[in-house]
């Protein structure tokens, strides 16, 4: 049996390479047109319907009381995330500790604070004075040095921060733990073999690598909390959502003011998404 | 002269798996010991006990005359605090099969990390040291690169430079070329040979029999958690006394 001769296919013109023509995709074009029309309809519905009251939106978007409420929303978010992740990191380290008591306590914390709805936790902290009218600082089970009225110490703002941070810590603990577990075991071994001190191993070697897994999840949590702060309206704290409610209850422009709030939430989350992109790029260095 | 490494009756189990079954071993200063043997024979575990990455269940490990990881009180061994163990480890360089370079640090940062933070040496002293070591392993131009951008052979040479940065008394190599493409094995072995000629005490676990013949002062053959036979390369590799050694060598040569 003979094999057919193997040779390059014949060229008409050896000097000119063959041209590649992309296939046409008429359905894709049609789908694009349909989407475009739908977008135009939506835009027109937003702009032309006078019930949206865009002039009112413009009037209130930068009103001092609204801007103040945006700042309070940011403050609550920053404190909730900052304290939440600080405590969450400690909980994550406890959770992976070989000491059974430490890891059980961390597990119990996560179980409790993830199981009870945030709104309930907030009301609990807000009403803590009903349970413990006075709080004191001193020797455990011994005499106290300072003594506070709970109502004076835990106002609505403190209760809100406490509630958001403690709730956030439970989620942060799991995110940080996941990040720590994602780092290859060999990294810990290499750091130990080089004699690096434990704190240095954690902060210089393990955590920066864990951040690659932590940051996308943390980004989710931060954006979630920006909007999640709106539940503290039940404590009459003038954050964004509470503030627009106050205004529309006074002037009746419900939709316009809800739109003001929506626009601000959009702006905040957009800025955060951009920041997240750069933070991810920073922790991804050396991995491109 | 005290031996650099001295193991007496070392036992180690993982659960019900008895990996080291009474190992005695001595390595003199400036000597090169190459350990060969089938996989699962306990070679890597043995090596890892010599910088306390694995704690021994029984027996003692001494490096340069000092007990590793413990201090002796009467006939008991008390575990040292972690700080002490870490200080001991800075005198022992370890080269991993899987490199374990820190991927988020540059080559230079990898090399400088331990002298800076474990030995607390000043940056002004460590920077020229890193430069010198990278030149020595032929990677002077890669100081600013991240490990991922290097070939396996280059990465392993960085690992060697990183281990040397502690200026250790002893270097341990755990199958340093097993994760490398065949054409990259030579460049890493050349660096190790160069160190051996320079008088560094080292223990090398490897499957490279040719390397063992060329570099080792002593070759140990391990099987089933014991050192079966030990001697100069010519004796162990060419005229082994034990059947098990002969069987193993006939498979790998």
């Amino acid at each position: 049996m003979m094999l057919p001769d193997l040779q390059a296919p014949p060229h008409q013109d050896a000097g000119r390479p063959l041209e590649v023509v992309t296939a046409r995709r008429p359905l894709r074009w049609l789908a694009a047109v349909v989407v475009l029309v739908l977008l135009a309809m939506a835009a027109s519905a937003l702009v032309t319907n006078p019930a949206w009251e865009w002039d009112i939106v413009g009037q209130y978007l930068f009103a001092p009381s609204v801007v103040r409420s945006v700042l309070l929303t940011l403050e609550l978010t920053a404190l909730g995330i900052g304290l939440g992740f600080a405590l969450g990191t400690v909980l994550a380290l406890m959770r992976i500790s070989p000491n059974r008591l430490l890891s059980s306590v961390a597990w119990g914390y996560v179980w409790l604070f993830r199981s009870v709805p945030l709104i309930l936790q907030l009301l609990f902290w807000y009403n803590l004075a009903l349970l413990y009218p006075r709080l004191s600082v001193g020797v455990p089970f011994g005499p106290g040095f300072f003594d506070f009225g709970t109502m004076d110490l835990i106002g609505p703002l403190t209760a809100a921060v406490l509630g958001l941070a403690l709730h956030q810590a439970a989620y942060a603990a799991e995110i940080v733990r996941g990040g720590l577990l994602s780092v290859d075991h060999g990294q810990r071994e290499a750091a130990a073999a080089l004699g690096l001190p434990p704190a240095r191993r954690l902060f210089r070697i393990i955590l920066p690598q864990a951040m690659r897994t932590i940051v996308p999840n943390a980004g989710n949590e931060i954006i979630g909390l920006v909007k999640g702060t709106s539940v503290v309206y039940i404590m009459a704290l003038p954050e964004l959502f509470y503030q627009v409610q106050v205004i529309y209850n006074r002037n009746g422009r419900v939709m316009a003011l809800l739109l003001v709030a929506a626009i601000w939430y959009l702006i905040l989350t957009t800025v955060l998404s951009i920041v997240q992109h750069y933070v991810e790029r920073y922790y991804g260095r050396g991995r491109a | 002269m005290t031996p650099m490494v001295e193991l007496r009756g070392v036992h180690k189990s993982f659960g019900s798996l008895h990996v080291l079954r009474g190992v005695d071993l001595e390595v003199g200063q400036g000597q090169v010991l190459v350990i060969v043997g089938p996989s699962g024979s306990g070679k890597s575990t043995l090596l890892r006990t010599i910088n306390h990455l694995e704690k021994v269940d029984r027996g003692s490990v001494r490096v340069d005359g000092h007990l590793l990881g413990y201090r002796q009180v009467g006939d008991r061994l008390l575990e040292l605090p972690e700080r002490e163990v870490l200080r001991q480890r800075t005198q022992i360089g370890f080269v991993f099969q899987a490199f374990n370079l820190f991927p988020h640090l540059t080559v230079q940062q990898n090399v400088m990390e331990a002298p800076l933070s474990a030995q607390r040496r000043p940056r002004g002293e460590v920077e020229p040291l890193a430069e010198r070591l990278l030149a020595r392993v032929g990677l002077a131009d890669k100081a600013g690169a991240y490990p991922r951008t290097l070939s396996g052979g280059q990465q392993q040479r960085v690992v060697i430079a990183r281990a040397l940065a502690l200026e250790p008394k002893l270097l341990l190599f755990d199958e340093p070329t097993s994760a490398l493409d065949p054409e990259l094995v030579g460049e890493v072995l050349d660096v190790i040979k160069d160190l051996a000629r320079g008088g560094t005490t080292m223990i090398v676990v490897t499957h490279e029999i040719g390397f063992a013949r060329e570099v080792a002062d002593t070759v140990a053959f391990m099987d089933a958690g014991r050192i079966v036979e030990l001697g100069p390369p010519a004796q162990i590799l060419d005229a082994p006394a034990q059947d098990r050694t002969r069987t193993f060598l006939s498979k790998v040569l």
Side-chain angles (χ1 to χ4, degrees):
Chain A
M1 195 178 116
M2 287 273 292
L3 284 170
D5 273 14
L6 287 175
Q7 57 182 10
H11 289 268
Q12 276 92 5
D13 181 358
R16 224 183 64 214
L18 297 176
E19 195 186 344
V20 174
V21 182
T22 318
R24 291 175 193 283
R25 310 213 185 275
L27 281 177
R28 200 182 283 176
W29 275 102
L30 185 65
V33 169
V34 169
V35 168
L36 210 59
V37 169
L38 288 174
L39 278 177
M41 284 167 69
S44 143
L46 270 175
V47 174
T48 57
N49 185 344
W52 283 107
E53 301 181 303
W54 285 99
D55 50 328
I56 307 283
V57 171
Q59 194 181 320
Y60 278 101
L61 194 56
F62 295 105
S65 65
V66 171
V67 171
R68 264 199 307 278
S69 72
V70 170
L71 290 177
L72 181 61
T73 291
L74 278 176
E75 189 185 339
L76 286 170
T77 307
L79 285 169
I81 287 294
L83 297 173
F85 268 84
L87 178 58
T89 305
V90 173
L91 286 167
L93 292 172
M94 285 169 67
R95 183 73 200 282
I96 58 178
S97 156
N99 185 314
R100 289 291 271 282
L101 179 71
L102 293 181
S103 70
S104 309
V105 167
W107 183 89
Y109 181 97
V110 172
W111 166 77
L112 182 65
F113 282 82
R114 268 199 324 198
S115 304
V116 180
L118 175 59
I119 197 160
L120 226 144
Q121 291 185 36
L122 286 167
L123 288 173
F124 174 81
W125 293 115
Y126 190 48
N127 295 308
L128 191 66
L130 298 178
L131 286 174
Y132 302 100
R134 303 203 65 76
L135 298 176
S136 66
V137 179
V139 182
F141 304 109
F145 302 137
F146 305 101
D147 185 75
F148 308 97
T150 303
M151 284 285 240
D152 308 325
L153 191 67
I154 303 186
L157 182 65
T158 316
V161 169
L162 206 58
L164 291 173
L166 293 179
H167 180 255
Q168 193 60 54
Y171 288 88
E174 287 298 278
I175 290 172
V176 174
R177 188 171 70 95
L180 293 174
L181 293 180
S182 75
V183 179
D184 179 46
H185 181 67
Q187 293 290 311
R188 274 168 237 272
E189 267 199 343
L194 287 168
L196 306 189
R200 183 78 176 177
R201 284 201 302 256
L202 178 65
F203 289 108
R204 171 78 165 168
I205 305 300
I206 305 301
L207 267 183
Q209 297 186 61
M211 288 303 273
R212 290 184 68 230
T213 318
I214 292 173
V215 171
N217 293 316
N220 253 348
E221 289 295 311
I222 295 170
I223 284 172
L225 191 56
V226 168
K227 298 170 295 168
T229 54
S230 58
V231 300
V232 310
Y233 83 94
I234 51 156
M235 292 146 88
L237 266 182
E239 49 69 50
L240 183 54
F241 184 53
Y242 181 82
Q243 190 60 39
V244 299
Q245 284 178 299
V246 167
I247 299 173
Y248 71 59
N249 282 330
R250 207 168 54 217
N251 67 8
R253 313 285 198 188
V254 178
M255 291 319 273
L257 277 145
L258 287 180
L259 203 56
V260 167
I263 289 170
W264 272 112
Y265 283 122
L266 272 172
I267 292 171
L268 295 182
T269 54
T270 306
V271 171
L272 286 170
S273 302
I274 294 168
V275 171
Q276 183 184 342
H277 170 77
Y278 285 100
V279 173
E280 272 180 37
R281 208 167 66 171
Y282 174 77
Y283 283 111
R285 69 195 190 280
R287 306 273 191 164
Chain B
M1 200 160 75
T2 50
M4 180 58 79
V5 180
E6 186 185 7
L7 274 68
R8 289 282 167 255
V10 168
H11 284 261
K12 174 74 187 178
S13 300
F14 297 108
S16 61
L17 194 64
H18 203 164
V19 181
L20 298 179
R21 299 163 177 258
V23 175
D24 295 290
L25 189 64
E26 267 185 32
V27 183
Q29 305 209 357
Q31 297 283 297
V32 177
L33 170 71
V34 172
I35 305 175
V36 298
S39 22
S41 59
K43 309 183 297 286
S44 289
T45 306
L46 179 66
L47 201 65
R48 291 161 58 86
T49 63
I50 306 176
N51 73 344
H52 207 55
L53 276 179
E54 302 291 356
K55 296 179 189 177
V56 302
D57 297 335
R58 210 139 48 83
S60 65
V61 179
R62 278 172 212 273
V63 172
D64 204 16
H66 299 286
L67 264 177
L68 198 64
Y70 302 92
R71 68 196 162 85
Q72 191 167 359
V73 178
D75 57 357
R76 291 194 307 168
L77 296 180
L78 303 186
E79 195 174 354
L80 289 174
E82 191 180 7
R83 188 166 33 85
E84 278 300 304
V85 175
L86 293 175
R87 198 186 51 73
Q88 290 183 329
R89 282 201 186 122
T90 60
Q91 301 170 3
I92 304 163
F94 200 98
V95 175
F96 296 88
Q97 177 180 356
F99 319 145
N100 294 339
L101 282 170
F102 305 129
H104 60 303
L105 303 181
T106 63
V107 163
Q108 190 194 28
Q109 287 172 327
N110 264 282
V111 175
M112 288 172 49
E113 179 58 33
L116 285 178
S117 70
Q119 294 178 321
R120 303 190 162 281
R121 293 168 65 180
R123 184 168 284 271
E125 186 182 311
V126 175
E127 260 168 22
L129 170 72
E131 216 170 290
R132 225 166 39 241
L133 289 172
L134 287 174
R136 184 163 172 190
V137 298
L139 292 170
D141 55 330
K142 296 291 186 188
Y146 284 101
R148 289 288 155 97
T149 62
L150 306 181
S151 74
Q154 290 172 327
Q155 288 191 44
Q156 195 59 299
R157 285 187 280 152
V158 176
V159 176
I160 294 172
R162 182 173 74 171
L164 289 173
L166 288 162
E167 299 179 331
K169 299 174 186 170
L170 168 68
L171 275 178
L172 307 174
F173 294 86
D174 189 6
E175 302 196 22
T177 58
S178 295
L180 297 176
D181 291 338
E183 81 270 23
L184 302 177
V185 168
E187 62 186 69
V188 172
L189 292 183
D190 284 345
V191 170
I192 302 176
K193 283 178 204 165
D194 185 48
L195 289 169
R197 276 193 290 270
T200 315
T201 312
M202 52 175 86
I203 303 178
V204 186
V205 169
T206 186
H207 294 295
E208 300 285 336
I209 301 298
F211 169 82
R213 197 187 301 278
E214 189 179 343
V215 177
D217 297 301
T218 310
V219 173
F221 171 70
M222 259 189 102
D223 192 24
R226 289 197 183 86
I227 291 180
V228 175
E229 118 174 76
L230 180 139
Q235 179 195 326
I236 304 297
L237 299 174
D238 300 328
Q242 302 288 328
D243 278 342
R244 274 189 288 174
T245 317
R246 262 194 294 276
T247 315
F248 172 74
L249 289 172
S250 71
K251 283 180 193 155
V252 296
L253 282 176

